[in-house]
Structure formats: C-alpha cells, structure tokens
Amino acid sequence: MSEEQYLAAYDPRAYPAVAVTVDVVTLTIREGALHLLLVRRAEQPYADFWALPGGFVRPAEDLDAAAGRELAEETGLGGEDLHRVHLEQLASYGTPGRDPRMRVVSIAYLAFAPDLPEPSAGTDAGEAEWLPLAALPSRRLAFDHERIVADGLERARAKLEYTPLATRFLGEEFTIADLRAVYETVWGHPLHAGNFHRKVLSVPGLVESTGATTEHGGPRGGPRARLYRAGDARLLHPALLRPATEETAR
C-alpha cells in the first residue's frame, strides 16, 4: 500500500480525541518584587478560578506561535515588543483528568522580561493581573496550574545560575547592583554585595562595561556606579549558584 493510499483510508476518528493547549508562566519584576501574570477564568470549567494565560492550539499553528499569541493577548504586547520577551518551552503536562472537558495535553512555556505592561484580559477571562509571588497562596488556581507555576519558578531560578538570562529582566544598561537585585528577587535570598560583584566580573561574557557611569552617586553620596550591558555568553562558567545550592554542593 502506498503512502497516498494509506492516508486516503486513514480515519482519525478511530482514535480517542486529544486536544493540545499552551500555558505560559510569565514573570516580571515590578516594584522590586517578582510578579506572575494570572487571569481569572470567566467560563467553565473552573469559572472564577485563576489560571495561567493559555488556550487551545489552532489547527495550523506552531506551538511557539500559539504561546506568543496567548502572551500577546494577555499583555498587550505585539510585533517588535515580543522580541524583548524571553520565551522558552518549559514542559508538557498530560495527566488524564487534568481537564474535565476531554483529554488535554498542555505544552507549558516560561516567559520573562522587564517592564511588561498592565495586562488586559482576553476573550475568555474575567480579568488579568500581575500578582506578587508572595500572594500566590491567596489564589485558587485552575487545572494543574499550581504545579506548572512551581516548575516554571524553579526553571527560572535555575536558569539564572548557569545562563545570563538575569540580564533579560533589565534594560540595555544596568549596574551590578541592578543585576544583584534581579538575582535576589528571583532567588528569594539576599546576596553579599561585594562577593556578588566579584563573581559577576569573573564570569567571562556575562556582562561588559559600557565605559559610562550613572549620572548620580549612591544614596549616601558615594561614587557614581559603572554601567554594564549584557555580554555574549550563552552559558556561565563558573556558574552563579544560589545560596541553598552552594550549601548543598559543599
């Protein structure tokens, strides 16, 4: 039997229907705290529960494109603005019964960027908000999104150890103190300023000097701080380990 004959005789209805969705764990730093983008569901199932931005993948749509579309719908970002958002595939979730409607497999994504705008709820959401991570226990999450959020947060924390993605939370120019604040916020641990400064400058390609300084000195009248930009490193060697990871490695 040729491929053409096989496809002509093939009946997809002979197999159980399985739908594919995308869900996006979107993180940003606002007012010095890590925030997560959530939407309140306006429709069943899980009406009035909070959930990650997401939805069904369209028949002719690539997975990455579907994740970008859902993110754009909830953040108002579009076109060139989406290029400044780091977006990567996180994991797949397909436990039977995770969605009461039918068998649904979700491909989850992790996204983060600086200065993301106020969200605007999509067509199937009652409202959308940036929620501080510290307030997450106050929200009832739909489906298995609590697990997905936990996995996304751990991925983000780990990525900051061995990749330069912390710089994606910042603008084009930043100080080492600005970078340290990102690590402290995402990891949830205070860091020794001097030690962090030495470690960052010892990692090849993590940052590079712009040759400029801040316009003003520190809050106590100290010298102006040097400005840096993201370097060309893709992996950090040596890695910048979380305090908890450092203790385990000893």
Side-chain angles (χ1 to χ4, degrees):
M1 178 184 295
S2 68
E3 181 177 350
E4 290 79 8
Q5 291 172 322
Y6 169 78
L7 292 176
Y10 180 79
D11 184 3
R13 295 171 297 178
Y15 300 91
V18 178
V20 178
T21 62
V22 292
D23 292 299
V24 187
V25 180
T26 309
L27 302 172
T28 195
I29 295 177
R30 301 166 68 87
E31 300 178 351
L34 190 63
H35 283 63
L36 170 71
L37 180 61
L38 291 178
V39 298
R40 186 174 59 80
R41 292 181 58 81
E43 302 175 357
Q44 295 291 354
Y46 292 104
D48 292 326
F49 279 62
W50 291 85
L52 295 168
F56 288 94
V57 178
R58 295 170 180 172
E61 192 174 39
D62 179 77
L63 291 173
D64 289 358
R69 172 178 54 79
E70 291 291 344
L71 181 60
E73 289 176 359
E74 304 298 346
T75 62
L77 291 175
E80 293 298 321
D81 287 335
L82 278 176
H83 292 167
R84 64 188 180 92
V85 177
H86 174 82
L87 183 67
E88 66 175 67
Q89 199 170 113
L90 174 62
S92 56
Y93 300 83
T95 302
R98 62 178 299 274
D99 190 313
R101 292 168 293 189
M102 62 182 297
R103 182 68 188 275
V104 176
V105 175
S106 177
I107 311 301
Y109 281 77
L110 174 66
F112 48 87
D115 303 323
L116 290 175
E118 290 295 330
S120 55
T123 56
D124 58 349
E127 59 182 299
E129 71 171 1
W130 287 111
L131 181 74
L133 256 294
L136 186 59
S138 67
R139 296 290 189 271
R140 296 188 302 168
L141 298 191
F143 308 106
D144 52 358
H145 288 189
E146 183 175 346
R147 175 190 173 192
I148 298 176
V149 169
D151 291 347
L153 184 58
E154 175 56 30
R155 170 73 68 85
R157 287 171 171 165
K159 295 280 283 190
L160 264 60
E161 291 187 290
Y162 62 89
T163 77
L165 289 177
T167 61
R168 297 296 293 268
F169 280 103
L170 299 167
E172 292 186 6
E173 295 184 344
F174 50 85
T175 67
I176 298 298
D178 294 333
L179 185 61
R180 188 180 76 252
V182 171
Y183 276 90
E184 290 179 331
T185 300
V186 177
W187 284 351
H189 289 282
L191 301 172
H192 187 278
N195 289 344
F196 181 82
H197 193 282
R198 286 190 292 271
K199 287 181 179 180
V200 166
L201 296 186
S202 70
V203 178
L206 173 54
V207 298
E208 60 183 34
S209 175
T210 65
T213 62
T214 55
E215 293 184 3
H216 305 285
R220 298 180 181 178
R224 293 183 294 177
R226 294 181 180 179
L227 290 172
Y228 295 83
R229 65 172 67 93
D232 59 2
R234 293 295 177 264
L235 294 174
L236 304 186
H237 184 74
L240 295 175
L241 300 180
R242 283 172 278 180
T245 306
E246 284 186 315
E247 291 297 326
T248 303
R250 289 175 182 172

mmCIF file of all heavy atoms in Angstrom, residues 57 61 73 109 112 141-142 217 239:
data_model
loop_
_atom_site.group_PDB
_atom_site.id
_atom_site.type_symbol
_atom_site.label_atom_id
_atom_site.label_comp_id
_atom_site.label_asym_id
_atom_site.label_seq_id
_atom_site.Cartn_x
_atom_site.Cartn_y
_atom_site.Cartn_z
ATOM 1 N N VAL A 57 -4.358 25.252 20.959
ATOM 2 C CA VAL A 57 -3.531 25.498 19.783
ATOM 3 C C VAL A 57 -4.405 25.373 18.546
ATOM 4 O O VAL A 57 -5.172 24.412 18.398
ATOM 5 C CB VAL A 57 -2.365 24.490 19.715
ATOM 6 C CG1 VAL A 57 -1.533 24.712 18.462
ATOM 7 C CG2 VAL A 57 -1.492 24.601 20.964
ATOM 8 N N GLU A 61 -1.367 26.084 13.621
ATOM 9 C CA GLU A 61 -0.498 26.948 14.410
ATOM 10 C C GLU A 61 0.648 26.160 15.028
ATOM 11 O O GLU A 61 0.467 25.073 15.580
ATOM 12 C CB GLU A 61 -1.324 27.617 15.507
ATOM 13 C CG GLU A 61 -0.643 28.756 16.227
ATOM 14 C CD GLU A 61 -1.591 29.447 17.180
ATOM 15 O OE1 GLU A 61 -2.404 28.753 17.837
ATOM 16 O OE2 GLU A 61 -1.556 30.682 17.262
ATOM 17 N N GLU A 73 -2.006 38.413 23.760
ATOM 18 C CA GLU A 73 -3.399 38.727 24.059
ATOM 19 C C GLU A 73 -3.579 39.195 25.500
ATOM 20 O O GLU A 73 -4.440 40.030 25.793
ATOM 21 C CB GLU A 73 -4.276 37.496 23.795
ATOM 22 C CG GLU A 73 -4.438 37.167 22.318
ATOM 23 C CD GLU A 73 -5.231 35.885 22.093
ATOM 24 O OE1 GLU A 73 -5.635 35.250 23.096
ATOM 25 O OE2 GLU A 73 -5.442 35.509 20.924
ATOM 26 N N TYR A 109 5.039 27.011 28.732
ATOM 27 C CA TYR A 109 6.157 27.879 28.373
ATOM 28 C C TYR A 109 6.509 28.766 29.556
ATOM 29 O O TYR A 109 5.668 29.059 30.414
ATOM 30 C CB TYR A 109 5.804 28.752 27.170
ATOM 31 C CG TYR A 109 5.896 28.030 25.841
ATOM 32 C CD1 TYR A 109 4.908 27.154 25.451
ATOM 33 C CD2 TYR A 109 6.988 28.224 24.999
ATOM 34 C CE1 TYR A 109 4.994 26.481 24.245
ATOM 35 C CE2 TYR A 109 7.084 27.556 23.792
ATOM 36 C CZ TYR A 109 6.086 26.692 23.417
ATOM 37 O OH TYR A 109 6.188 26.016 22.228
ATOM 38 N N PHE A 112 9.804 35.694 30.473
ATOM 39 C CA PHE A 112 10.088 36.807 31.364
ATOM 40 C C PHE A 112 10.783 37.933 30.621
ATOM 41 O O PHE A 112 11.464 37.731 29.622
ATOM 42 C CB PHE A 112 10.880 36.398 32.606
ATOM 43 C CG PHE A 112 12.090 35.553 32.385
ATOM 44 C CD1 PHE A 112 13.319 36.121 32.117
ATOM 45 C CD2 PHE A 112 12.007 34.179 32.486
ATOM 46 C CE1 PHE A 112 14.444 35.343 31.943
ATOM 47 C CE2 PHE A 112 13.130 33.382 32.315
ATOM 48 C CZ PHE A 112 14.348 33.963 32.043
ATOM 49 N N LEU A 141 -5.963 28.220 41.937
ATOM 50 C CA LEU A 141 -5.554 28.048 40.553
ATOM 51 C C LEU A 141 -6.305 26.895 39.905
ATOM 52 O O LEU A 141 -6.549 25.853 40.527
ATOM 53 C CB LEU A 141 -4.043 27.797 40.465
ATOM 54 C CG LEU A 141 -3.129 28.911 40.969
ATOM 55 C CD1 LEU A 141 -1.684 28.624 40.578
ATOM 56 C CD2 LEU A 141 -3.559 30.277 40.442
ATOM 57 N N ALA A 142 -6.657 27.088 38.634
ATOM 58 C CA ALA A 142 -7.393 26.083 37.880
ATOM 59 C C ALA A 142 -6.469 24.970 37.398
ATOM 60 O O ALA A 142 -5.247 25.106 37.370
ATOM 61 C CB ALA A 142 -8.081 26.742 36.687
ATOM 62 N N GLY A 217 25.642 59.616 42.171
ATOM 63 C CA GLY A 217 26.233 58.641 43.057
ATOM 64 C C GLY A 217 25.178 57.903 43.855
ATOM 65 O O GLY A 217 23.969 58.037 43.630
ATOM 66 N N ALA A 239 29.428 28.848 37.198
ATOM 67 C CA ALA A 239 28.029 29.214 37.414
ATOM 68 C C ALA A 239 27.890 30.079 38.657
ATOM 69 O O ALA A 239 28.726 30.049 39.562
ATOM 70 C CB ALA A 239 27.184 27.954 37.556
#
